Amino acid sequence: SYPNSLATVDPLLDGLETPTLVFWGGEDKILPVDNGQRLVKRLPNSRLHVFAGAGHFSYQDAHDAFAPMVIDWISNGCRP
């Protein structure tokens, strides 16, 4: 149902004001990192963090760096 839900969500992205931390695996073979780059361009208050060498499940592949990234994001007031 991903294509169907994407059609519903996509038109709303440009108006989303919530600070958003987008994370991606630099070696994601399912959704290449350029998808994350395009997403961040659409989200006005966002930042992209790419885990080099990580795949689609970057939070698992780079688990040692994932928690510090989230803690830093929160500690700095969720600022892009």
Side-chain angles (χ1 to χ4, degrees):
S1 68
Y2 178 73
N4 294 335
S5 63
L6 184 60
T8 303
V9 172
D10 186 70
L12 305 174
L13 293 177
D14 296 321
L16 187 63
E17 299 285 333
T18 304
T20 307
L21 177 59
V22 177
F23 58 92
W24 223 270
E27 303 302 319
D28 191 331
K29 302 298 184 206
I30 298 171
L31 293 170
V33 73
D34 65 317
N35 287 279
Q37 293 163 340
R38 286 196 309 272
L39 179 60
V40 167
K41 286 181 182 176
R42 299 271 317 278
L43 294 167
N45 294 313
S46 65
R47 176 174 46 164
L48 176 64
H49 183 98
V50 177
F51 292 104
H56 187 68
F57 298 102
S58 59
Y59 58 92
Q60 292 176 345
D61 296 342
H63 60 86
D64 56 335
F66 181 76
M69 176 201 65
V70 173
I71 290 167
D72 181 62
W73 170 255
I74 294 168
S75 297
N76 289 305
C78 304
R79 292 189 187 105

